[in-house]
Amino acid sequence: MTTIVIYATKKGSSEIYAREFANSRHYPILEQAQVTSKELITARNIYYFGSVYAGKVLGLEEWKKKIDDKKEMTIVSVGLSSKNDQEKLAEIQKGISEDFPEAATVHLRGRLVKEQMKLPEKLIVKMISMASKKKIEQEKFDIEKAIEQVVDVGCVDFIDLAELDRII
């Protein structure tokens, strides 16, 4: 039984987690764009690490067409939402289960660095931050607090490699 680790990322958080996970378990690792039909055919277990953007895991919709139901999938979403952001996590989980209802899932917190962002992303983050700052502190999601920090300080980093132990 072959196991592979695949990651899809824009800013690097998913790759950091995926590489550490794969290296510690001696699994082969591939960026999503590098995966060939041969790897998919021979793989029985797939760990997919994907960054979350607008509540969806990067690249999952494309994977639905490529992977058959006989594969054991674990999907690791990586984003700024914390375990306290139940509404946001439920949205992410819903998107995953629509494409892969049998997959095991884990959510890990990532990082965001303003310098790595393109202008449209910076504008969106700025708008979210402005809207968030109008709320009282108790009403804010942790993701909103994190976005405020990106705007105010330039980055936020929640990467915790010890959290990889939660993945079975």
Side-chain angles (χ1 to χ4, degrees):
M1 189 181 321
T2 306
T3 299
I4 61 172
V5 176
I6 299 168
Y7 68 91
T9 190
K10 286 186 181 180
K11 307 294 181 221
S13 296
S14 293
E15 181 179 5
I16 291 168
Y17 280 122
R19 286 200 181 282
E20 179 63 26
F21 181 80
N23 290 339
S24 67
R25 289 159 178 83
H26 308 289
Y27 294 149
I29 182 169
L30 297 162
E31 186 174 4
Q32 177 188 3
Q34 299 172 324
V35 179
T36 65
S37 298
K38 180 183 176 188
E39 279 107 8
L40 290 178
I41 290 169
T42 59
R44 178 76 182 114
N45 294 318
I46 299 172
Y47 290 92
Y48 185 91
F49 288 73
S51 299
V52 176
Y53 293 95
K56 298 215 177 266
V57 178
L58 185 64
L60 266 194
E61 289 179 14
E62 299 154 25
W63 277 97
K64 184 178 181 179
K65 301 169 193 163
K66 296 179 181 181
I67 296 176
D68 65 56
D69 295 341
K70 296 176 181 77
K71 307 291 183 194
E72 290 185 31
M73 289 276 297
T74 300
I75 298 170
V76 182
S77 57
V78 180
L80 296 181
S81 293
S82 78
K83 63 183 177 186
N84 299 326
D85 295 341
Q86 290 301 310
E87 185 178 318
K88 298 293 184 184
L89 293 177
E91 180 183 334
I92 296 165
Q93 181 63 42
K94 181 181 178 205
I96 293 170
S97 57
E98 285 173 0
D99 291 330
F100 296 97
E102 303 299 319
T105 61
V106 175
H107 181 77
L108 303 174
R109 293 191 84 187
R111 70 173 177 201
L112 188 59
V113 179
K114 193 190 302 190
E115 290 177 358
Q116 293 178 329
M117 298 165 58
K118 296 177 182 169
L119 182 59
E121 294 167 323
K122 288 179 181 178
L123 291 173
I124 291 168
V125 165
K126 179 82 171 173
M127 287 174 22
I128 293 169
S129 175
M130 288 171 53
S132 175
K133 287 182 178 187
K134 293 177 183 175
K135 294 181 178 181
I136 61 171
E137 199 66 24
Q138 295 82 358
E139 292 179 359
K140 294 179 187 181
F141 289 109
D142 285 349
I143 188 173
E144 292 171 317
K145 295 174 188 175
I147 288 172
E148 285 181 23
Q149 185 176 340
V150 170
V151 170
D152 295 343
V153 180
C155 70
V156 65
D157 189 345
F158 299 110
I159 292 176
D160 181 358
L161 297 176
E163 287 289 300
L164 291 170
D165 293 339
R166 295 180 27 223
I167 303 170
I168 299 172

